[in-house]
Amino acid sequence: MRKAGLPQLATRAIVALPLITREAWDERFGHLLSDVPLLFADQLTPARLRAALVQTPPVRYGEALDAAAWLALRSALGTSGNVPKREIRVPSPVPTSSPRKADLIARTARHLHAFDLQQELIAKTIPPGPQRIRGIAGSGKTVLLAQKAANMHLKHPDWNIALVFFSRSLYDQIRGQVDHWLRQATNGEQSLRTAQHKLRILHAWGSKDQPGFYRTLADQVSVTPLTVDRTPQGSPTAKLLFACRALLLDAQLTGRSLQVFDAVLIDEGQDLVHEQVQLTFEEKQAFYWMAYQSLRPVARDALFDTGEPEARRLIWAYDEAQSLDTLTIPNTRALFGNAGAQVFGAGVAYKGGIKKSEVMNRCYRTPGPVLLAAHALGMGLLREEGMLAGLTNKADWKAIGYEVEGQFRGGSEVTLTRLPENSPNPLPQFTDEPLVTFGNYRDRQAELNALVSHIQQDLSEHGLQPSRQILVVVPGLDWAPYTLQREVFQALRAAGISVYLPGNKDVNVPKQKWPHTDPNGFWRDGAVTVSPVMQAKGNEADVVYVVGLDQVAVREDHIPLRNQLFVGVSRSRGWVRLSGAGMAGPLADEIRRVLAAGDTLRFTYRPPRRMLDAVE
């Protein structure tokens, strides 16, 4: 890989022989290859490896690295310096005192975030068996899975690899990410187009015109795939899991193997589980067991032997707080039941040190104050009647980037503080204005009038672009969000603002029906996207408006609605405007308490209805 502007580095060449010790080599081969620098199995410890490298003479000499050169090298070879850049209009020079949102965003964009070692390891290592990745919203799970899939293909071009996800609106984003990492690692010599016969980007379900993971496996066992209209009434997840369970039963009855892949990576893993027993397969989550059965066993060898009779590369990433349809958390026990020990094997890491489970605690997308508000509102931490859902021990809160004081015992006081290093988005340093605000209006029309006014200011005074910088999110159950989406659409259009509804083919039209649709569409240039929460998942914008919170207030103790609130707020890279109409109940007061809390949340702990602890 050629990189311009890097210093000349000293280079050492050493041959690694990790399956034999120095003593065994000398006994068997004596002084054979004595002139070649060799690295043996008993030298594979940090101290001995470092000593061996230092003692090996360079084959090419270079200059010592200063701090600037070291940062340039890390940026060139690591994830941070190669993440696809957002296309934004950056003034030159960037004003350092302007309160315009466009200028503040430009200053933020110039601030490079160095990915930490954990994230580099997750992206670049290939586990010899299953791996669970638990990450908070905005921690870069999708970026790392895309990079991991690309690295797998480049190292093992003969493997059949699937990168699977739930939301169709993420198709273009994930394909773009994988293509970027393939090109970046090969100087443009390889791309998703050249790799797609082996590396496949698949929606969890799929359709006739865009085959997905389920349909691919149905074809594998010669079963006619179920369509949405041939499944019982239920949520999109429930319908998918019904189809997966039916496919597993068909494969079991016919004795046909589902094995077609060498590695399966799953994004949005929290959306592929359900608590309904009738949707499980032999006490296992149907989608995950289908994915596991689609994998060929990993070839056994002495170096990567996990100690178990069989291992398969199933890698899944999730954030339990983003689940909109279920209270099930996709940990090993919930996914595989008693078969979890068979799937994961013994121990917490594989031979060589790759962990079987990772927790990502840094949020690169959402500013700290916004993420704090998202967690507080999503979990109901400051509810008068106590939290609804959440973590119940210090270790798990620390694992997602918080500092904790107090004990999680009934009636005890607990204080949570989000550590700045775990929310490196620098926007809070550039403005004293609150990043999260709330408006409670007398009726819906007044709320919509205020929304139009705020968006007009964003477009004119603050210099924002309507697409990808502004997003309107509508919460609600059943058909309620679509009714509100239509009302927002009409209000914005009446003010002359272009609007796009996800899934439509065209801009500035109400919800379209097939064939005038684009199931993968989420953005259109020149238009503000107005989206239900489910379709907004995985997407992000600089300014997010979450409207119609009165639809959450009427059932403020309903955990799926709270999760919608969390997802909506955590879509933001910058500002969030919350609003509702006629909110006289406890939710409005709770929101005000959260916004007044600053960077620290203090509450009296009561055991929640839903525990999110990392149970295996």
Side-chain angles (χ1 to χ4, degrees):
M1 181 169 60
R2 297 178 294 273
K3 292 284 185 178
L6 294 180
Q8 175 84 9
L9 299 176
T11 305
R12 292 173 170 83
I14 188 167
V15 178
L17 303 173
L19 304 184
I20 188 171
T21 65
R22 162 66 78 175
E23 183 179 359
W25 174 273
D26 290 342
E27 288 180 358
R28 186 169 181 179
F29 302 108
H31 295 290
L32 181 66
L33 301 179
S34 58
D35 294 335
V36 177
L38 300 176
L39 186 67
F40 296 97
D42 52 340
Q43 292 176 288
L44 296 181
T45 64
R48 290 187 175 184
L49 176 60
R50 189 177 297 110
L53 293 174
V54 170
Q55 294 167 9
T56 301
V59 296
R60 186 180 70 174
Y61 289 89
E63 301 174 1
L65 295 178
D66 58 19
W70 169 240
L71 288 176
L73 184 64
R74 284 187 60 187
S75 177
L77 302 182
T79 298
S80 303
N82 297 294
V83 173
K85 303 297 188 298
R86 284 201 296 140
E87 294 184 5
I88 60 174
R89 297 178 181 177
V90 180
S92 182
V94 177
T96 58
S97 59
S98 170
R100 289 199 332 150
K101 290 176 181 176
D103 297 330
L104 294 170
I105 291 165
R107 292 181 64 191
T108 301
R110 293 181 60 183
H111 186 95
L112 295 178
H113 304 316
F115 272 40
D116 57 37
L117 179 59
Q118 180 205 30
Q119 291 168 308
E120 297 284 5
L121 288 173
I122 293 172
K124 293 181 171 61
T125 55
I126 302 175
Q131 186 179 49
R132 185 194 75 164
I133 302 170
R134 180 190 187 196
I136 63 172
S139 57
K141 297 183 293 295
T142 299
V143 174
L144 296 188
L145 283 180
Q147 188 180 168
K148 197 177 189 79
N151 289 336
M152 281 186 176
H153 172 72
L154 294 175
K155 293 178 182 177
H156 302 280
D158 57 319
W159 284 6
N160 287 319
I161 301 169
L163 175 51
V164 185
F165 57 98
F166 182 74
S167 301
R168 288 194 66 169
S169 62
L170 294 183
Y171 246 121
D172 291 342
Q173 181 185 145
I174 293 178
R175 289 177 63 86
Q177 283 281 349
V178 174
D179 184 70
H180 168 82
W181 293 114
L182 289 169
R183 293 177 184 274
Q184 188 273 331
T186 63
N187 282 315
E189 294 177 5
Q190 294 200 43
S191 65
L192 185 56
R193 183 183 61 80
T194 63
Q196 62 185 357
H197 65 293
K198 285 293 186 179
L199 173 53
R200 304 186 64 182
I201 313 302
L202 298 171
H203 178 250
W205 191 311
S207 61
K208 290 181 180 179
D209 60 336
Q210 202 166 35
F213 189 64
Y214 159 75
R215 293 180 69 95
T216 296
L217 296 180
D219 292 342
Q220 169 73 10
V221 295
S222 302
V223 169
T224 301
L226 293 176
T227 54
V228 173
D229 57 356
R230 292 178 58 205
T231 59
Q233 287 296 320
S235 67
T237 296
K239 286 177 170 289
L240 172 61
L241 298 190
F242 178 89
C244 294
R245 183 179 184 276
L247 179 58
L248 286 167
L249 287 171
D250 286 336
Q252 187 180 69
L253 289 172
T254 60
R256 294 172 179 166
S257 173
L258 289 167
Q259 292 182 9
V260 64
F261 294 108
D262 298 286
V264 172
L265 301 91
I266 299 173
D267 196 11
E268 304 184 289
Q270 71 280 351
D271 293 321
L272 296 165
V273 294
H274 211 284
E275 67 265 20
Q276 291 184 19
V277 176
Q278 60 268 34
L279 296 176
T280 62
F281 179 82
E282 297 179 349
E283 300 183 350
K284 308 175 191 71
Q285 287 291 325
F287 183 88
Y288 281 85
W289 192 242
M290 181 184 74
Y292 186 77
Q293 293 299 321
S294 77
L295 286 160
R296 302 185 183 101
V298 174
R300 316 306 299 174
D301 59 51
L303 178 59
F304 292 121
D305 191 351
T306 65
E308 296 298 322
E310 180 178 282
R312 307 188 192 194
R313 286 189 179 91
L314 178 64
I315 300 164
W316 71 97
Y318 73 96
D319 175 0
E320 69 283 320
Q322 293 195 58
S323 174
L324 301 179
D325 188 46
T326 178
L327 300 185
T328 300
I329 300 172
N331 55 42
T332 310
R333 184 183 300 173
L335 297 184
F336 305 111
N338 293 332
Q342 165 198 336
V343 171
F344 247 72
V348 298
Y350 296 106
K351 185 179 293 185
I354 298 176
K355 292 182 179 180
K356 297 181 180 181
S357 181
E358 295 275 8
V359 181
M360 298 168 60
N361 62 9
R362 286 193 172 187
C363 176
Y364 288 87
R365 174 178 66 220
T366 306
V370 180
L371 185 64
L372 188 78
H375 277 132
L377 295 173
M379 298 179 184
L381 298 179
L382 299 191
R383 289 179 75 240
E384 289 185 355
E385 297 180 12
M387 63 191 294
L388 290 165
L391 307 171
T392 64
N393 65 80
K394 287 186 176 182
D396 279 342
W397 277 108
K398 184 176 180 180
I400 66 169
Y402 285 87
E403 193 173 67
V404 184
E405 295 180 9
Q407 299 295 324
F408 287 90
R409 293 194 298 261
S412 297
E413 294 296 318
V414 175
T415 300
L416 299 176
T417 304
R418 179 112 193 123
L419 298 176
E421 59 265 30
N422 292 327
S423 292
N425 184 318
L427 180 59
Q429 303 170 27
F430 302 151
T431 177
D432 294 328
E433 294 296 318
L435 299 184
V436 186
T437 54
F438 172 55
N440 184 11
Y441 300 90
R442 65 179 182 276
D443 54 36
R444 181 73 72 221
Q445 189 57 53
E447 181 187 13
L448 294 176
N449 290 343
L451 172 67
V452 168
S453 177
H454 283 296
I455 291 179
Q456 287 173 331
Q457 288 179 339
D458 286 340
L459 296 174
S460 57
E461 297 175 24
H462 289 287
L464 298 184
Q465 298 301 305
S467 178
R468 295 176 176 82
Q469 288 200 299
I470 301 173
L471 171 64
V472 181
V473 178
V474 291
L477 301 174
D478 302 322
W479 290 103
Y482 299 99
T483 300
L484 182 53
Q485 181 188 39
R486 182 174 64 252
E487 293 175 345
V488 173
F489 169 84
Q490 293 170 344
L492 294 178
R493 289 301 302 131
I497 299 172
S498 289
V499 182
Y500 177 66
L501 305 184
N504 274 1
K505 181 180 179 181
D506 303 307
V507 174
N508 293 333
V509 293
K511 201 65 177 174
Q512 293 177 293
K513 296 182 179 180
W514 188 88
H516 304 289
T517 58
D518 176 10
N520 302 342
F522 191 80
W523 301 106
R524 288 290 190 272
D525 289 344
V528 172
T529 292
V530 180
S531 173
V533 174
M534 179 63 77
Q535 288 175 281
K537 285 178 70 282
N539 292 283
E540 58 189 59
D542 295 301
V543 181
V544 173
Y545 292 91
V546 185
V547 301
L549 287 188
D550 45 284
Q551 301 194 147
V552 178
V554 294
R555 297 186 62 183
E556 62 85 24
D557 62 345
H558 190 57
I559 293 176
L561 280 174
R562 288 287 181 153
N563 286 354
Q564 287 193 26
L565 188 49
F566 173 83
V567 171
V569 173
S570 62
R571 297 309 88 206
S572 176
R573 293 188 295 255
W575 295 263
V576 174
R577 174 69 178 175
L578 305 170
S579 67
M583 296 174 60
L587 181 60
D589 293 336
E590 179 188 341
I591 292 173
R592 295 187 185 97
R593 286 195 296 273
V594 169
L595 301 190
D599 60 0
T600 300
L601 297 172
R602 295 181 178 86
F603 58 95
T604 301
Y605 174 73
R606 297 183 184 91
R609 190 186 310 166
R610 182 191 185 211
M611 294 185 180
L612 304 179
D613 302 338
V615 178
E616 288 302 330

